[in-house]
Amino acid sequence: AERKLLPALYHRLMEGQFTEPTRIIGASRASLSHDEYRRFASDALKEHLKSGEFNEAEVEKFTSRLYYVSVDAKSEQGWDDLKKLLEEGKDRTRAFYLAVGPAIFSDISEKIRDHKLITRNTRIVVEKPIGRDLASATELNDTIGKVFREE
């Protein structure tokens, strides 16, 4: 997130690709407030954007869209907090971007399903590698496919 994802999202803002009201919700096991996450993101952009890309006003606009929730992929911790955060704008498109190891793709997919976070406008994006070999990639694809229909 720090080195690639946050700068990429910032570039999308700079290109005018966000519609109102776009929100970006960071989630991990770490315990952070929304403001702490926003500071983390601002510091990451300062460090990882190319020279001349960091614009204080635009970074402030970008970080104002950021929210954070502490969630554990393997337990119930934080999922109700995420659901509460997603209640506002529940008809909007939701994209769950899983920048995690493939070992927990299925756990997270199942938690998203079990906590009724999937709407007709929900999408899931998984970072590669997907599995260690063809057999494990097929297994992960099938597991995620049980939760998220391909179409």
Side-chain angles (χ1 to χ4, degrees):
E2 182 177 350
R3 201 168 47 85
K4 296 214 177 196
L5 187 57
L6 288 168
L9 290 169
Y10 173 77
H11 286 123
R12 300 295 60 83
L13 171 84
M14 296 298 289
E15 294 290 326
Q17 294 178 350
F18 287 166
T19 57
E20 292 302 329
T22 295
R23 292 184 307 158
I24 300 166
I25 302 169
S28 76
R29 288 179 296 184
S31 179
L32 297 172
S33 69
H34 298 309
D35 286 335
E36 288 170 325
Y37 186 63
R38 290 173 183 141
R39 280 191 298 277
F40 163 79
S42 180
D43 291 345
L45 293 173
K46 258 182 208 156
E47 182 177 344
H48 297 289
L49 289 174
K50 293 177 184 168
S51 179
E53 290 182 335
F54 188 92
N55 176 303
E56 193 72 46
E58 294 298 325
V59 168
E60 191 169 313
K61 189 188 312 181
F62 174 73
T63 59
S64 72
R65 296 176 181 276
L66 299 181
Y67 296 83
Y68 183 83
V69 63
S70 176
V71 175
D72 187 325
K74 296 207 174 246
S75 77
E76 293 302 309
Q77 182 263 318
W79 289 97
D80 288 337
D81 296 331
L82 178 59
K83 184 173 185 165
K84 235 180 272 179
L85 198 53
L86 290 171
E87 277 301 307
E88 179 189 327
K90 58 185 166 191
D91 295 328
R92 296 182 202 150
T93 298
R94 296 178 181 174
F96 289 93
Y97 186 96
L98 306 186
V100 297
I104 59 174
F105 285 165
S106 60
D107 293 319
I108 293 172
S109 298
E110 290 166 359
K111 292 290 185 193
I112 290 169
R113 178 200 60 212
D114 295 348
H115 288 273
K116 299 180 179 16
L117 301 177
I118 300 172
T119 67
R120 64 183 175 82
N121 294 320
T122 298
R123 309 292 183 264
I124 187 166
V125 179
V126 294
E127 268 193 7
K128 56 185 180 177
I130 300 175
R132 300 170 308 284
D133 53 25
L134 179 59
S136 62
T138 301
E139 181 182 341
L140 277 172
N141 191 59
D142 292 346
T143 301
I144 294 169
K146 288 177 188 171
V147 176
F148 292 94
R149 296 168 37 137
E150 192 160 337
E151 70 276 359

